[in-house]
Amino acid sequence: MKAIRIILAIFIVCIIASACEKTKDIQFVRVAGINLEQLGMSKSVVRMTLAYYNPNKYRLQVKDANFDLYFDDTQVGHSIQDTMISIPARDTFYFPVKLEVNMGNVFKNALSAFANKEVTIKATGNCKVGKAGIFLPFPIKCETRQSLNFF
């Protein structure tokens, strides 16, 4: 009887240890698409599709994403995403984003962008990532160097 309890205790510890495996960070892959929804002199609205990869062997969900977008260290936009996105296990998924762009800050960087032919695009913020109804805060931090080919 005592041996059965010990085996049962070891079995329970193994299950708990495997369930508590550390979650790997979701990886930014690329900007998969950009669509200009509204163009204005002070504010524009851009819809983007961002590709990410989930290296974990289990599905996740993301909600309540809130981030700022920067061009060469100047904040040009802000996005709030409040819909739930399902993330497949060990696969690439696409995250739709509605971004409100401050055109004044974009125009400030326009001359520099034309001169350099490249711009650093950075997004920073937070979201909640989880599974089985348990969500934890997760930082959004991605940066890429993008060449601008106007001509």
Side-chain angles (χ1 to χ4, degrees):
M1 186 69 167
K2 192 173 187 176
I4 293 175
R5 286 185 188 161
I6 293 172
I7 292 171
L8 185 59
I10 292 172
F11 180 71
I12 290 172
V13 167
C14 288
I15 289 175
I16 291 172
S18 67
C20 295
E21 179 182 320
K22 182 172 175 7
T23 301
K24 297 174 188 166
D25 287 348
I26 295 169
Q27 301 160 358
F28 174 73
V29 176
R30 65 186 167 90
V31 176
I34 298 176
N35 185 20
L36 182 62
E37 185 174 285
Q38 175 189 341
L39 181 62
M41 290 303 289
S42 62
K43 180 181 100 171
S44 294
V45 177
V46 176
R47 290 210 181 259
M48 299 171 40
T49 304
L50 305 176
Y52 285 89
Y53 178 74
N54 177 14
N56 298 293
K57 61 182 177 181
Y58 45 84
R59 297 174 54 95
L60 294 168
Q61 292 178 313
V62 64
K63 68 177 186 173
D64 299 335
N66 183 351
F67 67 91
D68 294 318
L69 184 70
Y70 296 85
F71 286 175
D72 288 333
D73 297 322
T74 300
Q75 182 185 0
V76 295
H78 183 76
S79 179
I80 297 174
Q81 184 74 21
D82 60 359
T83 58
M84 183 88 66
I85 304 290
S86 293
I87 302 172
R90 290 189 177 145
D91 200 0
T92 300
F93 68 97
Y94 298 91
F95 189 76
V97 172
K98 181 180 177 182
L99 184 68
E100 292 187 3
V101 178
N102 178 335
M103 295 306 288
N105 287 346
V106 170
F107 292 138
K108 283 182 194 175
N109 280 3
L111 185 58
S112 171
F114 279 117
N116 294 330
K117 303 290 186 198
E118 268 191 351
V119 65
T120 300
I121 301 172
K122 180 171 58 173
T124 60
N126 294 295
C127 64
K128 293 179 183 170
V129 176
K131 65 179 187 172
I134 299 172
F135 290 88
L136 299 173
F138 182 81
I140 296 172
K141 188 173 182 180
C142 59
E143 185 173 321
T144 185
R145 197 89 178 128
Q146 183 69 44
S147 61
L148 303 175
N149 299 320
F150 293 114
F151 305 105

